[in-house]
Structure formats: C-alpha cells, structure tokens
Amino acid sequence: MSIKTKATIEDLYRVPEDGKAELVNGELVLMAATGFLPGRAGGEIYASLRDYERRTRSGYALPDNVGFLVNLPTRRSFSPDAAFYTGEPTGGKFLNGAPVFAVEVRSENDYGKPAEEEMAVKRQDYFTAGTLVVWDVDVLKEEVVRVYGADSPEQPQVYHRGEVAEAEPAVLGWLMSVDDLFFY
C-alpha cells in the first residue's frame, strides 16, 4: 500500500527553474510551456501593465510564472500569465494573496469541454480569493478577450479585434487594444 502525501508550499518552491506549477487539491499541477502567440500575448499584456504601473504607482505589474499564495479549501496558489497586484512585495518569496487582476492566455490544450470546465473552476477560485477581474485571452481560435468580473462571474464582456479591452474595477483607467495581442 502506498501513502500519498499532500504537496506543500515548500514543494512549490522546489519546482525546477523555469518550471511553472500551481498547488491544487493537495497536488502540484505542472503547466507546460506555451507557444509563440500565447506567450507573446501574455508579454504584451504585461508590458502594457508595466507602463500603467510606472505612470500610476498604484500596484505592481507581474509577468508569467510569478506565484501567488492563497488559502482556499482546494487551492493554495495561482500562477497567471500576467497579473496586477496591489499587496506588499515579498522579495524572493511568492506573493501573499491573489492579484486584483489575473490574465489566463489559452494555449493549444485549453479548448474543449474539460478545459472549459477547469478554467471556470479556476476563475471561481480567483474570485473567491479576492481577484476582481480575470481575462480569458484566446489568440489561437476566436481571437477575443473575455473579461470576467467578480460581480458577474458568468457574464463576460467579450472584446474582439478592433476593440479596446478594460479591467475595471481592478486596474482603474487601464485600457489595451485587442489588436496589440497580435503581431499582424
């Protein structure tokens, strides 16, 4: 008989360098590297948030692979593709609490009914942990940004190419053109 032990925050710190994982249901959930378009989209969002951070000094723009520790019954961490955080910096440690704004950029395997269900559960976890707005960014198929708010988590505002997406009330006054998520 084998006894399975629950993964801990310490295990999360030991994920190999350049590895990405979240602590969900007592297990480390490893996340695969992404491809060109999703990676570039996440980078563009981070760069825009970084510019906003420098202008407003109202929080911290964070790129992919930053850990946020939370204390939910089924989840202990998040690692969004980009985020905006208004809590206290923690040096080299993971941040305490959820970001006010989280971005999840879809990769090749983020389509189909099981993936949609997993993403809906993760969005609900974000909102339960205190995130105000979650972006679901699809640059591979529909080429849209779905903006989910904690005040109506099942009713996203959908932005297409040629439109400008927002993240109110999480990132006040910040706007980003959906076209900026693409290189063509």
Side-chain angles (χ1 to χ4, degrees):
M1 173 200 295
S2 72
I3 298 174
K4 189 173 184 179
T5 60
K6 283 190 164 194
T8 65
I9 299 298
E10 289 73 30
D11 296 324
L12 194 59
Y13 275 109
R14 288 193 291 267
V15 171
E17 190 168 324
D18 296 329
K20 182 175 177 176
E22 293 179 340
L23 190 52
V24 183
N25 292 318
E27 296 181 12
L28 283 179
V29 177
L30 299 176
M31 302 166 145
T34 193
F36 173 73
L37 279 176
R40 186 174 188 288
E44 288 293 320
I45 294 166
Y46 163 69
S48 179
L49 285 169
R50 186 192 62 225
D51 291 344
Y52 174 86
E53 170 194 326
R54 289 176 176 165
R55 276 193 323 273
T56 67
R57 305 251 188 252
S58 61
Y60 304 96
L62 295 158
D64 188 21
N65 208 17
V66 173
F68 295 84
L69 300 180
V70 296
N71 193 15
L72 301 178
T74 59
R75 177 180 290 277
R76 294 297 317 275
S77 73
F78 293 107
S79 185
D81 297 310
F84 198 77
Y85 181 72
T86 58
E88 292 296 318
T90 53
K93 299 290 185 182
F94 297 136
L95 294 163
N96 294 310
V100 293
F101 173 52
V103 177
E104 295 291 337
V105 182
R106 290 178 185 239
S107 294
E108 291 288 331
N109 296 324
D110 291 333
Y111 296 92
K113 187 173 169 108
E116 294 294 337
E117 290 170 356
E118 283 180 31
M119 288 188 295
V121 167
K122 187 173 186 178
R123 275 193 308 273
Q124 188 54 55
D125 285 349
Y126 272 121
F127 295 138
T128 300
T131 300
L132 300 177
V133 175
V134 176
W135 274 17
D136 172 0
V137 179
D138 181 353
V139 293
L140 297 176
K141 293 192 177 185
E142 294 183 46
E143 299 184 342
V144 298
V145 175
R146 289 179 187 85
V147 178
Y148 291 87
D151 57 351
S152 66
E154 303 299 320
Q155 307 282 320
Q157 175 71 42
V158 181
Y159 295 94
H160 300 85
R161 282 180 175 246
E163 296 180 327
V164 177
E166 48 75 31
E168 299 279 343
V171 190
L172 299 174
W174 176 74
L175 301 169
M176 183 166 188
S177 169
V178 175
D179 289 342
D180 289 348
L181 301 176
F182 301 91
F183 68 97
Y184 50 86

